[in-house]
Amino acid sequence: MSLGPEGGDLWYSHSDQRLKRDISELPAGTLSKVKKLPVRRFRFRESDRRQTGFIAQEVKELFPEAVREIDGYLAVDYARFGVYSVAAIKELSHASDLLKRENGELKKTLADLLTRVESLERR
């Protein structure tokens, strides 16, 4: 990682395709993992300030690649959760598209059935 080009406090990670290999899509199922991940409120032992985040042991069960040990303690790579969130949103969007398509088909079927019922009632 390096500082942003403007010298500000933004952090950038190298992400150029030329630097990567074995590129593949994240497998489906990220949404179900994200849904299982508890979001916790807590205080660090040496602080009274309330925090919101994850417990590394719980993250490790679902996203082991987002946890590593540093100085004997587990640490979470929070930056990865932006990517996981995008994957989960894409899964939700896909499910929404399927439901919209199914809803449209059901509306058409209902309209056809109502037309048939009205036709039968007129006879």
Side-chain angles (χ1 to χ4, degrees), residues 65-101:
E65 66 280 6
V67 176
R68 71 177 182 168
E69 189 173 321
I70 301 173
D71 298 328
Y73 294 96
L74 295 182
V76 174
D77 180 0
Y78 279 90
R80 288 182 184 251
F81 286 92
V83 175
Y84 297 145
S85 296
V86 169
I89 289 167
K90 287 173 68 174
E91 287 182 33
L92 281 172
S93 178
H94 179 69
S96 175
D97 292 345
L98 291 176
L99 287 172
K100 285 177 186 175
R101 189 174 324 130

